[in-house]
Amino acid sequence: MSEDFSRVEQLQFLVRVREQDLVRARDWLAAEERRLAELAARRPPPPPPAFVVEQGIGVGRRTVAVHQGWCTMAGSRTKAIPRDQVLRLLAEDGRLACQQCRPDTELGVL
């Protein structure tokens, strides 16, 4: 009977040690996550794209306006587009150019 009791005590000890290991590993993980968050906070944001297209609401998502990447008038439904696509859009419909940032003037398309 004393052997069984000894075995139970050994297993209880093992559980306590493993729980302490788990707490220590979670502390290490939290410290590493904090370190990475601080590193990301110090990193400057990427530069804005040269041009963005603002899309409408709905299934077709038609183009509403073309903006320079820094333009504050661009809404939340924007995506970056290359210069050649901007030129094509402005050639098709010059009214798409934002009246605030004037991407057509920047590209020499009037």
Side-chain angles (χ1 to χ4, degrees):
M1 185 80 156
S2 67
E3 264 186 45
D4 290 336
F5 185 69
S6 172
R7 177 87 173 134
V8 168
E9 287 179 334
Q10 290 173 356
L11 291 172
Q12 288 172 339
F13 174 77
L14 178 64
V15 168
R16 282 193 309 274
V17 169
R18 295 297 184 222
E19 287 172 343
Q20 290 170 352
D21 287 344
L22 183 58
V23 168
R24 188 175 322 121
R26 285 184 174 144
D27 289 344
W28 290 340
L29 175 61
E32 182 65 13
E33 288 172 339
R34 281 191 305 274
R35 186 188 72 80
L36 291 175
E38 290 169 3
L39 181 65
R42 288 192 307 249
R43 186 175 302 132
F51 299 99
V52 295
V53 64
E54 182 177 359
Q55 298 175 319
I57 300 173
V59 178
R61 290 236 165 184
R62 67 179 186 82
T63 299
V64 175
V66 177
H67 302 271
Q68 291 191 51
W70 55 263
C71 183
T72 58
M73 297 302 290
S76 59
R77 294 176 311 277
T78 60
K79 69 175 185 176
I81 58 171
R83 184 180 191 276
D84 60 327
Q85 194 173 356
V86 173
L87 289 169
R88 193 189 87 238
L89 286 170
L90 293 176
E92 290 172 4
D93 187 351
R95 295 174 298 171
L96 292 175
C98 171
Q99 298 301 305
Q100 181 75 26
C101 65
R102 302 301 305 191
D104 51 350
T105 304
E106 175 69 21
L107 292 168
V109 178
L110 296 173

